[in-house]
Amino acid sequence: MKILVTGFDPFGTDRVNPALEVVKRLPNEIKGVQIIKLEIPTKFNVCAQVVHRAIQQEGPDYVLNIGQAGGRNGITPERIAINLDDAKTVDNAGVRRINQPIQQDGQPAYFTQLPIKAMVAAIRNRGIISTISNSAGTYVCNHIMYQVQYMRDKEFPNIKAGFIHIPLLPEQVTQRHQYQLPSLSLETDAVGIIAALNVMIDRDGKKDLFDY
């Protein structure tokens, strides 16, 4: 069994992205399951090309994308991705997509296949704030979640996939001089993501409607 875990590179004025940093901290193996770690660019379409290539090369059973969400105070697995790019700012290639579908022949939305309720419970059991999110936004995070689901729909039907948002790091809040913004340490992020991965492994092959 293999799990592909991705994290975005820094974007905007940030010099660090907690998503990428937490991916780097993950072990290479959990309970005998290989954890494949991948950096992806914060660029529309290009990020999907990088993930598609990794899926072809590695043949993972699961894909878990991770991104940062400024303003959130906990680790938030996403329930759904929508077929829409509508960015307030440009990506790292200078591209701004406004009110555009991600895939012309894709579904309006795709739900995750991950046991997100059980994942939230496991993260909370580690003493970390965690809730299910029903919106991944309309920037590159939602874009990659949707693109991976589209790949699953059209090409890789046996893969299960999903997305988790994590808060800003304390240093990012300091750099923004917006001290009221919540943050989590990288150590706490890693504990929460590993807890979520353990649930994915333990629940593999089991279907429980209450998980979703």
Side-chain angles (χ1 to χ4, degrees):
M1 182 174 166
K2 297 180 181 180
I3 301 177
L4 173 64
V5 187
T6 78
F8 287 106
D9 63 359
F11 64 94
T13 60
D14 285 328
R15 297 189 296 270
V16 66
N17 190 321
L20 178 58
E21 296 308 313
V22 77
V23 169
K24 291 177 181 177
R25 289 195 172 210
L26 297 177
N28 295 324
E29 185 177 294
I30 299 176
K31 296 181 177 179
V33 173
Q34 184 181 356
I35 306 300
I36 305 162
K37 295 172 271 189
L38 179 68
E39 177 179 344
I40 61 175
T42 308
K43 299 177 182 178
F44 291 109
N45 293 327
V46 181
C47 60
Q49 294 168 9
V50 173
V51 174
H52 185 270
R53 185 162 54 247
I55 292 173
Q56 288 181 315
Q57 292 174 350
E58 302 290 347
D61 301 279
Y62 287 84
V63 177
L64 176 63
N65 305 116
I66 302 173
Q68 78 171 39
R72 296 194 187 182
N73 65 350
I75 296 175
T76 52
E78 299 292 343
R79 177 175 273 140
I80 190 169
I82 61 173
N83 191 6
L84 179 68
D85 287 334
D86 193 28
K88 295 180 180 178
T89 60
V90 299
D91 67 7
N92 279 353
V95 174
R96 184 182 178 194
R97 291 175 58 89
I98 301 174
N99 201 31
Q100 296 182 43
I102 298 171
Q103 292 288 352
Q104 293 289 345
D105 63 339
Q107 297 296 323
Y110 291 109
F111 287 95
T112 184
Q113 295 77 46
L114 303 186
I116 54 176
K117 287 190 176 181
M119 290 161 66
V120 164
I123 296 167
R124 288 177 176 174
N125 284 341
R126 304 304 194 278
I128 304 167
I129 295 172
S130 182
T131 57
I132 291 172
S133 168
N134 292 310
S135 175
T138 52
Y139 189 51
V140 186
C141 288
N142 174 76
H143 181 92
I144 193 59
M145 182 182 180
Y146 185 91
Q147 290 276 42
V148 176
Q149 291 295 333
Y150 178 84
M151 295 176 206
R152 179 180 181 274
D153 184 26
K154 303 297 184 181
E155 191 174 354
F156 307 110
N158 295 324
I159 286 178
K160 296 178 181 179
F163 192 102
I164 294 179
H165 268 119
I166 59 178
L168 298 174
L169 296 172
E171 64 195 80
Q172 291 176 291
V173 172
T174 301
Q175 290 165 1
R176 283 168 167 77
H177 301 289
Q178 293 177 297
Y179 304 107
Q180 76 280 5
L181 288 175
S183 64
L184 278 183
S185 70
L186 198 52
E187 293 76 13
T188 302
D189 287 332
V191 170
I193 296 299
I194 290 171
L197 288 167
N198 271 284
V199 169
M200 291 164 58
I201 294 166
D202 292 341
R203 295 294 182 98
D204 182 52
K206 300 175 183 177
K207 177 85 171 181
D208 183 347
L209 293 178
F210 291 103
D211 284 345
Y212 304 88

